[in-house]
Amino acid sequence: MKLDAQKFHVKVLSTPEAHIVFMTGELDLGTAELFQSAVETIAAQKDVPLKLNMRELTYIDSTGIGIIVTLLKQRQDSNGLITAQEVPPKIRRLFDMTGLSQFLTVEGGGG
């Protein structure tokens, strides 16, 4: 069985003002390692805000949520900001149900 890495893409845009992580597709057990490796270095730079752009994210499971929780924990001791941008409504509902919304700053809504 071959895992379909094509179902998820991550792109990081780093500026002096913020690191913006663009996610496309499905963030789940099969693609979590790709996401985690893309963000672990920039997450350590706590003086630069981290923005997770979810406009093109179609699905997230508990593994993906777990990585976001880990990022929040890594950055909370230094007040490192994490913002979720353009969160699609069904993913926003999941964040609300799991309580994650109260720990993330959410900008804009997805379509």
Side-chain angles (χ1 to χ4, degrees):
M1 181 174 117
K2 181 182 169 198
L3 292 176
D4 184 10
Q6 296 299 320
K7 70 180 183 174
F8 180 74
H9 297 282
V10 61
K11 180 178 139 190
V12 177
L13 173 64
S14 292
T15 70
E17 293 79 33
H19 296 296
I20 305 170
V21 180
F22 294 90
M23 295 176 272
T24 302
E26 300 178 7
L27 176 54
D28 58 18
L29 180 61
T31 59
E33 190 175 320
L34 175 64
F35 175 64
Q36 190 164 11
S37 65
V39 297
E40 64 188 356
T41 304
I42 60 172
Q45 299 172 18
K46 298 175 183 177
D47 56 328
V48 180
L50 178 60
K51 298 181 182 237
L52 305 176
N53 186 295
M54 301 180 181
R55 180 181 54 199
E56 295 184 23
L57 189 67
T58 57
Y59 175 81
I60 187 170
D61 72 358
S62 59
T63 307
I65 289 174
I67 294 171
I68 293 172
V69 169
T70 300
L71 290 172
L72 286 164
K73 287 180 181 178
Q74 286 174 345
R75 294 173 67 94
Q76 80 179 12
D77 57 345
S78 65
N79 294 320
L81 182 64
I82 297 182
T83 303
Q85 299 178 313
E86 301 183 77
V87 182
K90 67 180 181 179
I91 293 174
R92 177 65 186 261
R93 278 194 302 279
L94 182 61
F95 287 177
D96 291 345
M97 289 188 321
T98 60
L100 191 57
S101 294
Q102 61 186 317
F103 300 103
L104 281 172
T105 301
V106 179
E107 293 178 349

